[in-house]
Amino acid sequence: MSVRQCERMKVGDYEVISDLGVGGMGTVRLARAPTGRCVVLKQPHPGDPSLNELLVDEARVGLRLKHPHIVETRDFFEHDGQPVLVVAYVSGASLADLRNQGPLPMPVVCRIGRQIASALDAIHKATDPQGRPLNVVHRDVTPANIMVGHDGNAR
């Protein structure tokens, strides 16, 4: 094995641990921040400027949102000419994965519903630094995109 193969891949200051998935927009990776905490890196597929713009918009909004049921946006930078969005890692499972294990108890469904409704309310009321509405609408609220942490909180 060459020295190059032994080195961990770095994206900016973040050490990539593993790929989490590839979707229509880009690649999602688990990484370790310089602080030692796990984070998620989102990078658009190369060569499509519209995907870059979508990630820039996601970062612009995400950096403005601070809510206990919204995954925290931690960083945004450019690496090798591509934008990279860094968000907090949520240790847990998606709501889709939990549903696949069987029906959830009604109190759990109600708690998750309240938490996600609160997060969506915060997103819809988000403003820019001058207090103007950002007019954000989350267009992909699905069980696969709702993470339920080991702490029991939905994001």
Side-chain angles (χ1 to χ4, degrees):
M1 183 180 287
S2 73
V3 172
R4 181 83 178 135
Q5 290 171 314
C6 291
E7 293 174 10
R8 292 250 183 175
M9 181 178 157
K10 294 222 30 169
V11 175
D13 293 333
Y14 301 89
E15 182 180 344
V16 175
I17 297 169
S18 66
D19 284 348
L20 294 176
V22 176
M25 190 169 158
T27 303
V28 181
R29 294 183 171 104
L30 179 64
R32 189 170 321 284
T35 62
R37 297 187 78 169
C38 285
V39 295
V40 173
L41 307 180
K42 293 176 152 187
Q43 294 177 272
H45 294 301
D48 187 340
S50 66
L51 295 178
N52 289 0
E53 290 175 29
L54 287 172
L55 198 65
V56 168
D57 284 344
E58 184 176 341
R60 178 181 54 83
V61 172
L63 289 166
R64 302 259 334 131
L65 298 172
K66 302 296 178 218
H67 189 278
H69 300 294
I70 296 174
V71 175
E72 179 187 2
T73 298
R74 299 260 175 97
D75 196 2
F76 184 70
F77 61 96
E78 195 171 287
H79 177 77
D80 291 340
Q82 290 286 106
V84 180
L85 179 63
V86 182
V87 299
Y89 172 70
V90 178
S91 178
S94 73
L95 183 55
D97 290 340
L98 294 175
R99 283 181 32 196
N100 288 336
Q101 295 175 14
L104 296 171
M106 190 54 64
V108 172
V109 172
C110 290
R111 185 179 72 245
I112 290 171
R114 281 191 306 273
Q115 291 174 349
I116 296 306
S118 175
L120 289 170
D121 181 59
I123 290 169
H124 295 161
K125 291 178 178 173
T127 59
D128 69 11
Q130 290 74 39
R132 294 179 300 232
L134 291 176
N135 297 317
V136 176
V137 176
H138 194 302
R139 289 178 256 171
D140 199 14
V141 182
T142 62
N145 288 335
I146 296 172
M147 291 298 297
V148 180
H150 287 118
D151 61 2
N153 288 312
R155 294 168 191 86

